[in-house]
Amino acid sequence: MRIGAHVDATDPLDEAALRKADAVQFFLADPQGWKAPQPRADAAQLRGSEVDVYIHAPYVINLATTNNRIRIPSRKLLLSHAGAAAEVGAKGLIVHGGHVNAGDDIATGFDNWRKAFAQVAASGGHGVPVFVENTAGGDNACARRFDNLARLWDAVGEYGVGFCLDTCHAHAGGEDLLDIVDRVRAITGRIDLIHANGSKDAFDSGRDRHDNLANGMIDPDLVVEVVRTAGAPVIVETPGGVDGQATDIAYLRDRVGR
Ligand SMILES: [Zn+2]
């Protein structure tokens, strides 16, 4: 089982070595900004590395929104990150499930997702696997509660989209971690990546504050069970820098086996 961490983008392979990680995830540009990624000097090294590379798309991307001024640039930004992710040999590009605004019909959000993928599919695809990630908060989210996730998958499933399950987001979003792997698979048919995170907040709090696995409000045995049953690669997006994340990676390896 490949286990790694979300790390600073400056020297991801160094960060992987410091954590004894098999995989890294990082941003290719400011996660709160709209700038397209710049070419990386270490692209060939990343492509040739034993360490698996995952790219997290910026948080500002919202493919669901009815706001044209967000939705259209979101498609463009996702596509530019997909191109740059392919350049570094990424195994996946992770993007959040997005949301519509209060008062909007969420059906429009799912349709916007479908259109985004249909448009790219018609012009050759993203060039890298895209994984939609479940999110923690909001009343109008496409991938917080699994009743909505099922509607999202009805819209995008045919385009070969992958799924990234975040344990903190599920817990804070109000989806019980017990049996969650089976419930996700019943909807998506697949889990491509696990974000194995603890949560500083209570079940269904809607808050997105990650914690280390042995701390926080999620029973770590539940996270271990998710990792074991999903059988997918794992990224910890936990605090504490090298020490905190190396401890979380070792914690999972000790309990899940390799
Ligand atoms: Zn995550």
Side-chain angles (χ1 to χ4, degrees):
M1 180 165 296
R2 312 285 288 172
I3 305 182
H6 183 96
V7 300
D8 184 87
T10 309
D11 193 347
L13 296 177
D14 247 22
E15 302 290 346
L18 289 169
R19 292 160 176 77
K20 298 185 167 50
D22 310 305
V24 283
Q25 173 185 282
F26 52 95
F27 296 113
L28 288 171
D30 175 6
Q32 305 292 356
W34 291 94
K35 283 218 179 94
Q38 297 301 305
R40 290 184 63 103
D42 60 355
Q45 258 177 293
L46 288 164
R47 272 199 308 275
S49 170
E50 294 282 297
V51 174
D52 295 339
V53 172
Y54 295 89
I55 299 301
H56 202 302
Y59 298 127
V60 292
I61 291 178
N62 185 356
L63 296 173
T65 181
T66 57
N67 181 345
N68 292 346
R69 293 190 194 175
I70 302 287
R71 189 178 70 257
I72 304 302
S74 289
R75 289 181 187 173
K76 203 175 147 199
L77 192 61
L78 185 67
L79 201 53
S80 71
H81 277 258
E87 276 294 301
V88 297
K91 293 198 175 309
L93 172 65
I94 296 94
V95 61
H96 282 183
H99 57 91
V100 295
N101 292 323
D104 285 343
D105 183 356
I106 196 160
T108 313
F110 301 128
D111 202 44
N112 284 339
W113 265 102
R114 185 187 59 73
K115 285 177 183 160
F117 277 93
Q119 187 184 54
V120 174
S123 53
H126 283 98
V128 70
V130 175
F131 304 160
V132 178
E133 178 177 358
N134 63 311
T135 55
D139 291 330
N140 308 293
C142 294
R144 172 181 177 174
R145 295 275 164 67
F146 286 2
D147 51 347
N148 278 348
L149 181 65
R151 294 176 69 187
L152 174 60
W153 230 258
D154 284 345
V156 301
E158 66 182 284
Y159 298 105
V161 179
F163 185 68
C164 171
L165 174 64
D166 187 306
T167 55
C168 171
H169 298 176
H171 161 90
E175 290 291 341
D176 205 317
L177 291 177
L178 199 66
D179 298 331
I180 198 167
V181 169
D182 287 343
R183 293 191 299 118
V184 168
R185 285 207 185 110
I187 293 167
T188 66
R190 59 195 288 176
I191 296 177
D192 297 86
L193 185 66
I194 298 289
H195 282 170
N197 302 314
S199 171
K200 292 191 197 297
D201 298 289
F203 182 78
D204 207 17
S205 60
R207 300 195 66 187
D208 184 5
R209 296 190 306 156
H210 298 186
D211 207 343
N212 297 99
L213 297 178
N215 304 340
M217 302 194 69
I218 302 177
D219 176 356
D221 287 344
L222 279 175
V223 179
V224 169
E225 193 55 21
V226 166
V227 167
R228 183 183 291 126
T229 52
V234 179
I235 293 288
V236 302
E237 300 171 308
T238 52
V242 171
D243 287 349
Q245 293 186 333
T247 301
D248 286 331
I249 291 170
Y251 184 97
L252 289 173
R253 279 205 188 112
D254 285 351
R255 285 159 183 81
V256 178
R258 295 202 65 164

